[in-house]
């Protein structure tokens, strides 16, 4: 994650934050699908190799999302934008745990449950990617009372 965080700013300057977000989301979806495939192996090596890019991509995503959320509002609202992003991330984590738990148990087999969870995660990332690609940059105007 540390390497991804350090690489995010130069990549965003070169290609733009939305392009970096889209590329990182696509890479994360592929990583999760690769991990689902690799988890069918009897050896843990393919799974470790498949999951290794997830940390790098996560570092890119978190720092780029933070920069994007702050850049879309006026300077007086940077703290609020950061708070909304962190609250959204925490809510997403809670929903993710609420979805993954039943998926893991519903398969009645840890291997199949793990694959289902990775597939659900990849699906969620693809939805986020679609929103990133379809989203338009809008000026946010908020008046402080």
């Amino acid at each position: 994650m540390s390497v991804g965080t350090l690489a995010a700013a130069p990549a965003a300057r070169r290609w733009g934050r939305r392009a970096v977000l889209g590329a990182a989301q696509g890479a994360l979806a592929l990583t999760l699908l690769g991990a689902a495939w690799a988890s069918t192996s009897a050896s843990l090596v393919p799974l470790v190799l498949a999951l290794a890019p997830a940390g790098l991509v996560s570092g890119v995503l978190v720092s780029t999302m933070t920069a994007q959320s702050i850049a879309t509002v006026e300077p007086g609202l940077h703290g609020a934008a950061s708070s909304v992003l962190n609250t959204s991330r925490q809510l997403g984590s809670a929903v993710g745990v609420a979805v993954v738990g039943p998926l893991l148990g519903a398969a009645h087999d840890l291997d199949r449950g793990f694959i289902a969870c990775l597939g659900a995660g990849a699906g969620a990332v693809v939805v986020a990617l679609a929103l990133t690609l379809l989203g338009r940059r809008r000026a946010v105007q908020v008046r402080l009372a």
Side-chain angles (χ1 to χ4, degrees):
M1 278 189 77
S2 299
V3 173
T5 300
L6 293 172
R13 279 192 296 275
R14 182 170 182 155
W15 295 296
R17 279 190 296 270
R18 286 190 60 198
V20 172
L21 278 174
Q25 289 166 329
L28 183 58
L30 291 174
T31 297
L32 294 175
L33 292 174
W37 172 79
S39 69
T40 61
S41 173
S43 171
L44 286 178
V45 174
L47 183 60
V48 170
L49 293 175
L51 285 174
L56 175 74
V57 173
S58 296
V60 171
L61 279 173
V62 170
S63 55
T64 307
M65 285 188 300
T66 302
Q68 182 66 16
S69 67
I70 290 172
T72 58
V73 298
E74 62 186 58
L77 296 173
H78 283 179
S82 178
S83 297
V84 168
L85 174 68
N86 282 324
T87 301
S88 299
R89 287 181 53 217
Q90 293 297 323
L91 180 61
S93 295
V95 169
V97 168
V99 168
V100 166
L103 269 178
L104 194 56
H108 301 292
D109 176 5
L110 188 58
D111 292 339
R112 287 189 313 196
F114 183 68
I115 292 169
C117 291
L118 289 170
V125 174
V126 168
V127 169
L129 173 59
L131 292 172
T132 297
L133 296 175
L134 296 174
R136 291 185 223 156
R137 186 179 174 122
R138 295 183 198 145
V140 177
Q141 294 180 350
V142 177
R143 294 181 190 250
L144 298 175

